[in-house]
Amino acid sequence: MEILIQLLIIVAPLVICGLIIGRYNEKKHFANVNERESAYEGFLTSQLKSYPGAVLPAPAPPTVVVAEVVIASDYLKSFLSGWRKIFGGEMKSFTTMQERAKREVILRLIEQAHAGGFNAVCNVRVEGVDLGGNTSRQKVPMAAVIGSGTAYHAHKAPPVSPASPVSPGSVA
Amino acid sequence: MIITNTETVAGHQITKVLGLVQGNTVRAKHAGRDIAAGFKNLVGGELRGYTELLTESRREAVQRMIAQAQQLGANAIVNIRFTTSAVTSGASEMYAYGTAVVLQPSA
C-alpha cells in the first residue's frame, strides 16, 4: 500500500504536468497549423509524379524541397497509451501527435517552396523516421517525420465558384 | 544541379541516364540534447534538437550524393528518395539516393 502511495506521489505531478502544459502546447500548435494552412490555401500541392498545370517553359528549373520535424509526446499521452494497451483500440493521444507532425512537415515544404519563389509542390512524400530507437529496449514515444516534394511554377487555377456548376466537358 | 523527386523534369528532357548515386550518414546529438529531449517528453512540443539532427543528416547525405553525381558528369539528379533506419536511440541513419542524369531544356 505504501509503495502504491509513493508511486502515486511520483506519477501524479507528471500526469498533471502533461495534462496542463501538454494540452496547452498541443492546442497552440494546432491553432498555429490551422492558421498557416489557411494562409496557403491557394497553393497547389499534389503527390502526382507529373507536374500538374506546369508553366512551360519553366521560369526556373524545378527543385526538391525537404523538411523534417520531430514532435515530442507528453507524460499524459505516454501514460494514457499504457492504459490503452490493456484494453486495445485507438490511441487518440498519439493519433493527434502524429497528425501534428505530418501537417507541420507539409506546411514546411510549402513554406520552403514559397520562399524559393515557387507556387506549387508535386510528388509530396511523407514518411516516418524511427529516431526514438523503437526497435531497441529504450522506448521514447515521439513523432519524427521527413517529407519531400518537388517545387515548380504552376498556372494559377481559376477560382471555382460553387454557384456555377462545372459541366464535365468544360474542364480544360 | 537540378534535384527533383519526380521521374521527369517539366520543360526538360533527359538525354542520358548515368545511373544510381547515393549518400548516407549516421549522426547523433550530444548527451545534453538527449537529456533535454527527455524533459521535453514530459510536457510535449517540438524536439528542435532532433529536428536539427535530421536536417543535418539529410544535408550531409544529399551533399555526398551530389558529389557522386558531379563525378559522373551529371547536371541533375531525378527521382531522389530518402530513407532512414534506426541504429540506436537518439541516432539516425539518413540515406539519400537518386538517378544521375544529363538534362537538356526541351525546345
Side-chain angles (χ1 to χ4, degrees), chain A residues 117-136:
Chain A
F118 297 98
N119 69 350
V121 179
C122 67
N123 203 24
V124 172
R125 296 291 130 114
V126 176
E127 59 177 293
V129 180
D130 187 359
L131 191 56
N134 285 347
T135 51
S136 71

Side-chain angles (χ1 to χ4, degrees), chain B residues 2-72:
Chain B
I2 297 171
I3 304 173
T4 70
N5 71 348
T6 54
E7 283 165 29
T8 54
V9 182
H12 292 73
Q13 228 171 4
I14 294 171
T15 53
K16 200 173 169 196
V17 177
L18 297 166
L20 193 72
V21 285
Q22 53 194 321
N24 80 327
T25 177
V26 182
R27 293 181 70 93
K29 277 284 179 191
H30 60 81
R33 281 298 178 88
D34 288 337
I35 293 163
F39 282 117
K40 199 86 199 232
N41 255 315
L42 298 178
V43 296
E46 185 182 350
L47 296 167
R48 286 184 208 284
Y50 284 155
T51 303
E52 233 170 68
L53 169 69
L54 289 181
T55 308
E56 284 167 10
S57 316
R58 187 249 306 163
R59 284 210 182 119
E60 182 105 47
V62 168
Q63 275 312 317
R64 289 179 185 171
M65 179 177 73
I66 289 174
Q68 254 189 38
Q70 276 166 345
Q71 241 176 17
L72 292 174

Side-chain angles (χ1 to χ4, degrees), chain A residues 51-102:
Chain A
Y51 293 73
V55 176
L56 291 174
T63 178
V64 74
V65 283
V66 193
E68 41 281 293
V69 65
V70 185
I71 301 284
S73 165
D74 59 54
Y75 198 84
L76 180 70
K77 285 180 191 293
S78 313
F79 183 78
L80 288 177
S81 78
W83 282 101
R84 185 51 85 189
K85 270 186 201 161
I86 299 172
F87 302 108
E90 186 185 359
M91 291 183 170
K92 285 217 179 67
S93 51
F94 281 162
T95 305
T96 53
M97 181 174 84
Q98 291 286 355
E99 187 194 334
R100 276 162 64 201
K102 262 132 207 178

